[in-house]
Amino acid sequence: MSGSNVLNIGIDLGTSRSVIACDNGVRTFISSIVGYPKDAISKKLLGKDVVFGEEAAKNRLALEMRRPFEKGMLKFSNLQDLSSAEFERYKGVARDLLHHLVGLVRKESPQAQVVRAVIGAPALASTQNKKTLIEITKGILDDVMITSEPFAVAYGLGILNNALIVDIGAGTVDLCRMSGVIPTEADQITLTKAGDHIDEVLLDLIKTQHAEVDVTLNMVKRVKEENATISEKGERVMALLPIKGKPTSVDVTDALHEACRSIIPDIVGGIRSLVASFDPEFQDSLKQNVVLAGGGSQIGGMARLIEAYMQEHLGYGKVSRVEEPLYAGANGGLLLCKDMPSDYWDELRKD
């Protein structure tokens, strides 16, 4: 197939945001939210059968809101816990989201006859989880490969040896050690305390510390994304929240710090596990090159506090952050998609 007739894509279907990067130069993201009109009035108001991203969030009172990948759903959860009807519903919502996301970039390359993609999945996603993701892509993508999200980050950055990638998403935190070969299951860990966990802890803390405040999980999420920090330096964080209908300035500094810190012990525990089970002669190399990616890596002071925890539990550690946390996974998926030989895609299509 001629290169000009192939559109290569890297996709990160995140719990909070879905990101896409293409070799036609287009890349974008949307919130991983899908909304369906509740009734005839809401459908007339919106003028469409399905709404995505921020448009859905702004009109959420008129919509049945769905987050297809919440709490690792479809990508990491135990699918045995879902009823058949519930499972198919989540798959349908995910298909709608993927179709919309690919459509945003496909229109820029109308001549493309083949659309192939590499999609990131949690580090320890099961075979069934990966199969489900592939099923979602049918009729939308011609060729698809599922890869580990932190591996995609590492591949895109060219960090293929003596490094440990920590991808902090909303639904999962995925860790992957790189040693110059394709990582195995033993090289990776998936943790379920991630960005959504921070939101839930922050909501509980605000309600406990300020019982009179009327606040929702969506409001707390916005406060976190606009102010997230675990640094003790800087100004107090004041959030404008309603009390008996009146917007009131509320000090959420301590609650925000505590909530953001809540995921760090598990992350450092994961780092310690991967370091301790590695070749002793190369353990120091891993500790010296821990790389944070994903939306959670943007929390102010996160890298420094992980270093402090590593100092306490592992002797020392050096932690850095990727330059483009939002696009790192999709960029790596795109590069991997382009680098895979044509023979690989041909064999994949036969299967």
Side-chain angles (χ1 to χ4, degrees):
M1 180 69 66
S2 170
S4 62
N5 293 323
V6 176
L7 179 63
N8 293 293
I9 299 176
I11 299 175
D12 179 1
L13 294 175
T15 302
S16 178
R17 295 181 181 87
S18 290
V19 186
I20 189 167
C22 311
D23 62 356
N24 62 3
V26 179
R27 65 178 192 174
T28 189
F29 70 91
I30 60 172
S31 295
S32 299
I33 304 170
V34 184
Y36 302 89
K38 290 181 176 180
D39 54 29
I41 299 301
S42 53
K43 185 173 181 179
K44 180 176 177 63
L45 168 69
L46 298 165
K48 56 187 75 173
D49 294 324
V50 58
V51 186
F52 302 93
E54 291 306 313
E55 183 182 4
K58 291 177 182 177
N59 293 282
R60 60 186 175 275
L61 296 182
L63 298 167
E64 294 286 349
M65 299 290 285
R66 309 277 172 77
R67 291 177 67 197
F69 304 113
E70 63 182 341
K71 299 185 184 301
M73 193 63 66
L74 299 182
K75 298 198 302 177
F76 184 66
S77 61
N78 184 355
L79 302 181
Q80 302 297 325
D81 295 339
L82 297 175
S83 68
S84 177
E86 187 180 16
F87 175 62
E88 291 301 324
R89 178 170 66 85
Y90 272 103
K91 281 177 62 178
V93 176
R95 275 186 58 82
D96 285 343
L97 180 64
L98 179 63
H99 187 272
H100 176 72
L101 187 65
V102 173
L104 293 175
V105 298
R106 180 71 189 266
K107 60 186 178 182
E108 300 297 329
S109 297
Q111 79 284 357
Q113 297 177 16
V114 173
V115 180
R116 59 178 53 143
V118 171
I119 299 178
L124 294 185
S126 68
T127 300
Q128 181 60 47
N129 291 134
K130 295 175 182 178
K131 181 180 178 182
T132 297
L133 288 175
I134 291 174
E135 289 174 354
I136 290 167
T137 70
K138 289 183 177 177
I140 302 172
L141 302 170
D142 298 295
D143 302 322
V144 62
M145 170 184 172
I146 308 298
T147 193
S148 156
E149 288 169 350
F151 172 69
V153 171
Y155 193 86
L157 296 172
I159 305 175
L160 304 180
N161 197 22
N162 297 327
L164 204 160
I165 309 299
V166 181
D167 186 8
I168 308 173
T172 60
V173 176
D174 294 286
L175 297 85
C176 177
R177 65 186 178 201
M178 300 299 299
S179 57
V181 296
I182 296 175
T184 66
E185 185 173 313
D187 295 312
Q188 303 182 80
I189 292 176
T190 292
L191 307 172
T192 55
K193 283 186 180 180
D196 285 349
H197 176 78
I198 293 175
D199 298 342
E200 292 164 1
V201 171
L202 181 56
L203 178 62
D204 288 344
L205 288 170
I206 290 177
K207 285 185 173 181
T208 299
Q209 297 171 10
H210 307 279
E212 71 282 9
V213 170
D214 187 16
V215 64
T216 67
L217 193 60
N218 281 331
M219 295 166 70
V220 161
K221 180 181 177 70
R222 189 160 56 248
V223 169
K224 180 197 73 174
E225 291 181 346
E226 293 174 354
N227 303 282
T229 180
I230 45 182
S231 172
E232 298 296 342
K233 300 178 181 179
E235 300 178 355
R236 305 293 292 178
V237 178
M238 308 300 293
L240 201 61
L241 301 172
I243 297 179
K244 296 181 179 180
K246 179 182 178 180
T248 305
S249 184
V250 177
D251 189 338
V252 297
T253 310
D254 295 338
L256 188 60
H257 287 177
E258 184 175 343
C260 291
R261 289 171 181 263
S262 67
I263 66 172
I264 290 181
D266 282 6
I267 291 176
V268 175
I271 293 172
R272 182 173 187 171
S273 178
L274 289 177
V275 169
S277 60
F278 200 48
D279 187 313
E281 293 187 47
F282 296 93
Q283 289 180 5
D284 285 351
S285 298
L286 286 185
K287 290 189 286 185
Q288 291 173 4
N289 195 16
V290 176
V291 182
L292 303 185
S297 70
Q298 299 179 77
I299 295 174
M302 176 68 78
R304 301 289 76 78
L305 193 57
I306 290 177
E307 282 186 350
Y309 267 72
M310 289 182 67
Q311 178 74 30
E312 179 180 354
H313 297 284
L314 287 166
Y316 66 90
K318 180 64 177 177
V319 182
S320 61
R321 189 183 74 177
V322 300
E323 291 186 3
E324 291 191 300
L326 181 61
Y327 285 100
N331 288 344
L334 171 58
L335 183 60
L336 185 58
C337 188
K338 292 168 64 177
D339 285 351
M340 295 305 292
S342 297
D343 291 349
Y344 170 82
W345 296 110
D346 291 340
E347 287 299 318
L348 195 67
R349 194 175 296 121
K350 290 178 183 178
D351 295 338

